[in-house]
Amino acid sequence: MSATKTPSNRKVLSAFAAGLLAATATVTAISVLPSAPAIAQNQLKAAAIDPSAGFADLVDRVMPAVVSVEVKFANAAAEGEDAAPGMKGMPEGQLDEFLKKFPQFRNGMPGQRGENEAPRGGMGVGSGFIISADGYVVTNNHVVQSADEVSVTMKDGTEYKAEVIGTDPKTDLALIKIKSDKAFDYVSFTKDEPRVGDWVMAVGNPFGLGGSVTTGIISARGRDIGSGPYDDFLQIDAAINRGNSGGPAFNLEGEVVGINTAIFSPSGGSVGIGFAIPASTAENVIASLKENGKVTRGWLGVQIQPVTEDIAESLGLEDAKGAIVADVTEGSPALSAGIEQGDTILKFNDKEIKDSRDLARKVAQVKPGDNVPVTLVRDGKTKEIEVEIGTMPAETKMGAKGDAEESGKGVSLSGLGLKVVPAEDGAGVMVTEVAPDSPAAERGLKAGDIILEVAGTEVQSPSDVRDALKSTDKKRVLMLVKTQEGQRFVALPTAKG
């Protein structure tokens, strides 16, 4: 899922994601293909449409399976004329989820309800699509999260009550069930890999208007917009607006290729950059929600980071690919299998690993209990090991480490832009000062960080660091650094470079 972004690009995408998740209060859906009678499938599937002849036949085929999703909340964030664009009227549960993903929007939003204010009721609308004859509907988690009542409205205006079967905040997907014994028309997920340039047709409920259709193409794949650990969005230029969230993006065969989830927009309106969850991601998640009401993911138990050009050079790797293990969790499958801190994972389950996010997605897709091969590099040598994948805990977070107190000005490490002192607990050296515009500052090191290893050697004093630097003949030295967020590797240029 991983289109690599520069930090500046990711900040821009995150900053304007308000317009995209703001589609929360108005969303669209995607379609899945649980098994169903061939006759029912034929109702909504036929030969591919010729774009030169228009899309009316395709609309006629798929529109009966697309629904508007209406939700009611007991509590909602207060509205305000000064609220951020796209935030007015956003139900409290959705607003809280949005602010968790994009905390930069937390300040400067006078429309938010204070802790001691009385809650107010609210409503929201989004989109969805039916994936089975018995009335299962796919939509976004942020559309139905914390809702007290959910209903869907069909193309002909018929309204049905619905219940939430399960939600998955990590992929922003949800499954709801229409409360009716009627047999419904439905659509299916595509089995084909979409390509950049393929036609797509988005159907949904923008601004609560219902039954709206827009067309465009797939503009890019593998977009990471910073909304979750498994971001792998399709970028499409079919117009997506508030209320399109949860709605489907169809290919010319009438199959769902993506679920419209977010937009990139400074105003909250469409500027031709929308994001959809790929069918390949959604299908597995929805199947798990249907069977268990929740998503069970595979778990390896490592803290990882991408292999940058600097890290690749310091490790002697030919390419900046794979994921380097910064820490191994106690009692984890990785520890049991012999994976160690500093290992670079190049393949998982016989598939090449592009970066750390790619590894996280691939691990999550494995069924717990399955044994998978892992190819890694340790001390310059390639190793093959087998890991029995575990079940991901409900929440896996590295414990936050408190700021170490500064003790003295520290000893300068020439050329690195650092001053360090021995750590209070004797494990590593603590950074007391980082020179502006230095290599260390450029790589995110800051006062309070603890350097645990230099060039694979544990350090306990500034002299240990100097000795490790002298012993390496490489242009860059790899350091293991402990921060408040956990541990990571940093490659700094040496004087030899």
Side-chain angles (χ1 to χ4, degrees):
M1 101 134 208
S2 48
T4 304
K5 295 185 180 305
T6 63
S8 58
N9 286 338
R10 291 195 57 182
K11 287 180 181 177
V12 172
L13 284 176
S14 295
F16 289 112
L20 110 81
L21 279 183
T24 292
T26 12
V27 263
T28 56
I30 175 175
S31 57
V32 177
L33 55 61
S35 59
I39 294 178
Q41 288 196 16
N42 288 338
Q43 290 177 340
L44 296 182
K45 187 175 180 180
I49 296 296
D50 178 4
S52 65
F55 297 87
D57 289 342
L58 180 58
V59 172
D60 288 343
R61 292 212 312 264
V62 303
M63 187 67 84
V66 182
V67 300
S68 296
V69 179
E70 294 86 29
V71 295
K72 292 182 180 179
F73 301 87
N75 301 326
E79 293 185 13
E81 291 304 317
D82 297 323
M87 295 292 187
K88 297 180 182 180
M90 183 183 291
E92 185 175 41
Q94 297 174 3
L95 182 59
D96 289 344
E97 180 65 20
F98 178 85
L99 291 174
K100 286 179 184 176
K101 295 180 177 180
F102 305 104
Q104 65 266 36
F105 288 98
R106 186 172 295 279
N107 297 322
M109 295 178 60
Q112 287 184 248
R113 179 173 58 85
E115 290 184 6
N116 299 320
E117 292 182 41
R120 305 194 303 175
M123 297 182 64
V125 290
S127 306
F129 57 94
I130 303 172
I131 60 169
S132 64
D134 53 353
Y136 281 93
V137 175
V138 177
T139 187
N140 279 144
N141 169 70
H142 75 262
V143 173
V144 299
Q145 183 183 27
S146 304
D148 294 286
E149 295 181 24
V150 181
S151 61
V152 301
T153 301
M154 315 299 291
K155 174 189 175 185
D156 61 5
T158 305
E159 184 175 345
Y160 296 94
K161 295 292 184 182
E163 62 177 328
V164 177
I165 301 301
T167 62
D168 182 40
K170 290 184 177 179
T171 56
D172 198 17
L173 288 169
L175 182 67
I176 63 178
K177 174 74 166 60
I178 300 173
K179 294 181 178 179
S180 172
D181 294 330
K182 178 182 176 181
F184 294 94
D185 291 323
Y186 65 95
V187 288
S188 300
F189 287 119
T190 183
K191 293 296 186 183
D192 299 326
E193 280 292 316
R195 300 186 305 164
V196 174
D198 282 350
W199 279 99
V200 289
M201 182 179 76
V203 185
N205 185 27
F207 302 109
L209 295 173
S212 293
V213 177
T214 56
T215 60
I217 62 170
I218 295 175
S219 304
R221 295 178 53 185
R223 291 301 198 200
D224 174 5
I225 62 174
S227 69
Y230 308 116
D231 280 14
D232 188 19
F233 289 97
L234 299 175
Q235 180 183 324
I236 63 177
D237 69 354
I240 303 296
N241 287 288
R242 294 172 56 191
N244 272 118
S245 290
F250 293 103
N251 60 21
L252 297 182
E253 285 75 30
E255 301 166 327
V256 176
V257 296
I259 298 130
N260 304 318
T261 299
I263 58 174
F264 175 93
S265 171
S267 64
S270 173
V271 293
I273 302 179
F275 301 99
I277 301 166
S280 57
T281 297
E283 189 170 11
N284 292 334
V285 171
I286 294 303
S288 185
L289 291 177
K290 185 177 182 181
E291 182 177 354
N292 306 311
K294 61 181 181 180
V295 178
T296 301
R297 291 185 169 91
W299 180 55
L300 188 57
V302 291
Q303 182 177 329
I304 51 178
Q305 65 183 85
V307 177
T308 63
E309 294 286 352
D310 286 348
I311 291 176
E313 183 176 340
S314 67
L315 292 174
L317 299 175
E318 292 183 2
D319 300 308
K321 294 181 180 179
I324 187 168
V325 178
D327 201 6
V328 182
T329 305
E330 288 294 330
S332 66
L335 188 65
S336 299
I339 293 178
E340 299 177 2
Q341 188 180 82
D343 288 347
T344 302
I345 299 176
L346 301 180
K347 287 186 178 181
F348 179 84
N349 208 11
D350 296 323
K351 296 178 181 177
E352 289 191 358
I353 299 301
K354 298 176 183 177
D355 53 29
S356 54
R357 297 185 68 87
D358 186 32
L359 176 61
R361 286 192 301 271
K362 285 182 168 59
V363 171
Q365 293 171 359
V366 175
K367 183 179 178 181
D370 285 358
N371 291 297
V372 299
V374 175
T375 302
L376 55 83
V377 174
R378 179 184 302 165
D379 298 329
K381 298 179 180 179
T382 301
K383 295 177 65 69
E384 300 281 347
I385 64 174
E386 191 171 84
V387 182
E388 181 180 344
I389 299 301
T391 300
M392 180 179 289
E395 199 66 37
T396 53
K397 290 185 179 179
M398 295 294 295
K401 313 296 190 300
D403 284 329
E405 293 184 2
E406 181 176 332
S407 56
K409 294 183 179 180
V411 177
S412 177
L413 297 178
S414 177
L416 297 182
L418 290 173
K419 286 187 177 181
V420 297
V421 296
E424 291 183 349
D425 60 2
V429 295
M430 184 183 72
V431 177
T432 60
E433 186 178 330
V434 181
D437 301 323
S438 66
E442 291 174 357
R443 287 155 179 80
L445 287 177
K446 58 185 182 296
D449 289 347
I450 306 294
I451 299 173
L452 300 174
E453 294 181 4
V454 176
T457 302
E458 293 184 358
V459 294
Q460 297 179 336
S461 67
S463 60
D464 287 345
V465 177
R466 287 185 175 134
D467 289 344
L469 291 173
K470 291 177 182 178
S471 67
T472 181
D473 58 356
K474 296 180 179 178
K475 295 180 179 179
R476 288 177 172 80
V477 62
L478 197 64
M479 295 183 176
L480 179 62
V481 181
K482 181 171 67 174
T483 70
Q484 287 189 347
E485 291 75 33
Q487 294 181 182
R488 67 187 179 105
F489 284 98
V490 177
L492 291 179
T494 66
K496 303 175 182 65

